[in-house]
Amino acid sequence: MERAEAEAIYDAGREACVEFILGLAAEVGQHGDRLKRLEEQVRQDSRTSSRPPSTDPPKSRQQRRAEARAKAKELARKEGERRNAGGQPGHRGSGREPKPEDQIDEIVDHYPQECGGCGRQFPVKQRTGGGRFGRHQVAELPPISVIWTEHRTHQLRCRCCRARTSAQLPAAVAGSTFGTRLQAAIVALTAAYRISRRGITELARDLFGVTLATGTADAICQRASGALAGPYLHLQDVVLDQHAVHVDETGWRTGGDGRALWTATSADAVFLQIAEHCNREQFNALIGAGYSGIVISDRWNGFSHLDPTRRQVCWSHIQRDFRRHADGLAEQKTFGEKGVPLVARLFAAWRAYQHHDRARLQAEIAPVQTELRALLEAASPKKARNRWHRQFANNLLKVWPALWTFTTIEGVEPTNNPAERSLRAPVRLVQHCFSSRRLLSNSPAWLGFTWIRRPFRLPCCA
């Protein structure tokens, strides 16, 4: 604004000046709110949002050392003494247990050549096994070599009609140049261990001594997808027969079209499905309207129709949201700073529990429930000071029973981490394929078999 314009407003009288000042104040307030939101977005990282850790800025050497010193001081304060380096008293060791003798393929005996005291040579007849001996076991791979089998089809002439007839290859042999076990190994290395098509061709050449093209590796994977269509449907039934299932979804693209990758994860298996949409209808199609178990998920609106008493929401997402509010300002910051230690106490109680004493778990969680309820109810009223965290508080109050299902039902975890880890595997596979989802089969059976856990076994390719 020029000086002449300001003087014109002043000369227009008191009412014009007041209206102009009120307009400026409203505009400043709008820009202030916008600036606050932008600053909050800048402060977000993988601990306070859904961003992956790879997007976090690198920490300086001074920051890493300061965090290490702060962590060491906190541990010393809790224990009342300085911690020594290495394993602490009471720490459970992780040494390797030796294999029993009946599982050993070869035993090699070693005897001393001479006496360590006088240097006398030990005779050969004295080198016999005693009652006590040292044990050192070495695991080694045998020489890996592919078995090449040549199938010859011969012709025979009929003595009656003099016609020649050629032998036909068996169906199991004629389908491919590569055997079923070799194809199964290629599929497992490509999918379960996230090796790209080009990488699998190099590995097959160096490890197996087999030369194959990238197109051949992809064709083997496509055939595996068709062969696993039946086990894939059986896997869905097995997962949905469990009393608790972890559910999550992420974005996906097939042939350039937007899709959604869904997962239903249990303790024994992971079921993956590429769906056209990411909505409530697709979730019902995945789980089924008649599923009577516990659904463990995040707080996405597509799960809002579920009964809170038959549901467990993810506390890792709640912890992330509290951290985000703790980075805010004024009442929002106070709200987040009060919620973060409550979540930390909850996870500490869960780690101490680990399926031992459920009564103790409920006793330690009870004060957390009381304090959290009071915190959320104080933040739920529609007031100006609560506008940045009111929706989050009301959302938790709406699903309040779903926050504590893990305290009463066996086999239910307080987080949805198993589903998150299940989705990470196919996403990483895409990254190893140079972000080209065209290399992945459109059939869901290809993804469905890939991340099967025990006790399922990898079937052979057809």
Side-chain angles (χ1 to χ4, degrees):
M1 176 181 291
E2 300 292 337
R3 182 180 181 85
E5 296 176 350
E7 291 178 350
I9 295 174
Y10 179 77
D11 294 338
R14 180 175 177 224
E15 190 65 28
C17 292
V18 171
E19 292 180 0
F20 180 73
I21 293 173
L22 292 176
L24 284 179
E27 188 174 353
V28 169
Q30 293 176 359
H31 287 298
D33 292 343
R34 182 184 178 189
L35 179 61
K36 180 181 178 181
R37 294 296 99 190
L38 292 175
E39 290 177 348
E40 183 179 344
Q41 293 178 5
V42 171
R43 290 193 300 267
Q44 289 181 359
D45 54 17
S46 60
R47 298 175 70 251
T48 60
S49 67
S50 58
R51 296 179 181 178
S54 58
T55 61
D56 293 343
K59 296 180 180 179
S60 63
R61 188 177 184 182
Q62 291 78 6
Q63 289 175 324
R64 293 195 299 271
R65 287 188 171 183
E67 291 180 359
R69 287 194 296 268
K71 186 175 181 180
K73 289 180 180 179
E74 180 65 19
L75 291 173
R77 183 187 64 80
K78 291 181 179 180
E79 299 181 3
E81 59 183 9
R82 186 176 180 86
R83 286 166 54 97
N84 297 323
Q88 304 303 308
H91 171 70
R92 186 175 181 179
S94 57
R96 187 184 304 278
E97 294 291 334
K99 294 287 185 181
E101 188 171 337
D102 57 352
Q103 297 183 14
I104 301 300
D105 299 308
E106 182 183 9
I107 297 178
V108 180
D109 295 315
H110 299 273
Y111 298 95
Q113 299 295 326
E114 59 184 21
C115 176
C118 62
R120 175 179 172 273
Q121 296 285 331
F122 289 109
V124 177
K125 63 180 180 180
Q126 191 177 352
R127 299 176 184 177
T128 59
R132 300 179 61 184
F133 49 84
R135 301 180 68 189
H136 176 70
Q137 298 180 354
V138 178
E140 179 60 284
L141 282 174
I144 300 176
S145 177
V146 174
I147 300 175
W148 288 95
T149 303
E150 180 177 311
H151 297 265
R152 298 181 178 181
T153 56
H154 296 275
Q155 285 186 346
L156 296 179
R157 183 189 294 275
C158 179
R159 295 183 177 180
C160 296
C161 64
R162 310 299 297 173
R164 290 183 175 272
T165 303
S166 299
Q168 301 295 324
L169 290 173
V173 175
S176 175
T177 310
F178 305 99
T180 55
R181 287 192 295 272
L182 179 58
Q183 293 187 60
I186 291 174
V187 171
L189 291 172
T190 304
Y193 301 99
R194 302 186 295 274
I195 301 178
S196 65
R197 301 295 193 271
R198 189 177 302 278
I200 197 62
T201 59
E202 297 174 357
L203 186 144
R205 181 193 61 210
D206 299 337
L207 188 61
F208 302 143
V210 176
T211 302
L212 70 159
T214 55
T216 304
D218 186 69
I220 291 174
C221 294
Q222 300 295 334
R223 286 197 296 270
S225 178
L228 292 167
Y232 171 77
L233 297 177
H234 174 66
L235 177 63
Q236 183 180 18
D237 296 336
V238 170
V239 172
L240 297 183
D241 285 341
Q242 307 300 316
H243 75 284
V245 61
H246 297 259
V247 179
D248 200 5
E249 48 76 29
T250 188
W252 195 261
R253 297 192 70 84
T254 301
D257 298 329
R259 295 288 186 270
L261 178 62
W262 287 81
T263 181
T265 304
S266 67
D268 297 325
V270 176
F271 178 80
L272 295 163
Q273 183 181 75
I274 300 176
E276 186 176 359
H277 301 292
C278 176
N279 51 28
R280 180 182 301 181
E281 289 73 16
Q282 190 60 52
F283 166 76
N284 292 334
L286 174 68
I287 299 299
Y291 181 69
S292 59
I294 304 297
V295 175
I296 308 171
S297 65
D298 53 24
R299 303 189 314 278
W300 176 55
N301 290 333
F303 305 130
S304 60
H305 66 289
L306 297 174
D307 183 3
T309 61
R310 305 298 301 171
R311 180 185 176 193
Q312 172 65 53
V313 298
C314 179
W315 272 95
S316 292
H317 287 75
I318 298 176
Q319 182 183 48
R320 185 182 68 188
D321 291 336
F322 271 122
R323 286 172 176 169
R324 175 173 58 83
H325 290 298
D327 290 339
L329 301 174
E331 293 292 334
Q332 181 188 14
K333 180 179 180 66
T334 304
F335 172 80
E337 290 177 345
K338 290 181 179 179
V340 169
L342 291 178
V343 180
R345 288 165 53 188
L346 181 141
F347 280 124
W350 172 255
R351 287 191 293 269
Y353 160 63
Q354 290 302 308
H355 311 287
H356 291 304
D357 189 355
R358 183 166 296 274
R360 177 184 174 185
L361 172 66
Q362 295 174 352
E364 294 183 0
I365 293 295
V368 177
Q369 290 177 299
T370 304
E371 297 177 33
L372 181 62
R373 183 83 184 193
L375 178 65
L376 297 178
E377 289 179 349
S380 61
K382 190 174 182 180
K383 299 179 181 179
R385 63 181 184 180
N386 297 337
R387 57 178 173 171
W388 301 118
H389 54 281
R390 180 178 66 246
Q391 182 178 1
F392 170 66
N394 287 325
N395 180 270
L396 293 186
L397 290 174
K398 182 179 179 181
V399 297
W400 181 258
L403 300 178
W404 319 105
T405 307
F406 74 97
T407 63
T408 58
I409 299 181
E410 185 71 27
V412 177
E413 299 182 16
T415 69
N416 199 30
N417 292 342
E420 299 278 353
R421 289 192 292 267
S422 300
L423 290 178
R424 189 178 300 122
V427 171
R428 292 290 304 275
L429 174 62
V430 170
Q431 294 174 351
H432 282 278
C433 292
F434 308 104
S435 299
S436 177
R437 289 175 170 84
R438 185 184 61 82
L439 295 178
L440 298 179
S441 171
N442 293 335
S443 172
W446 161 247
L447 292 173
F449 112 91
T450 304
W451 294 275
I452 295 176
R453 298 173 181 160
R454 296 187 183 132
F456 300 93
R457 300 186 64 183
L458 178 68
C460 295
C461 304

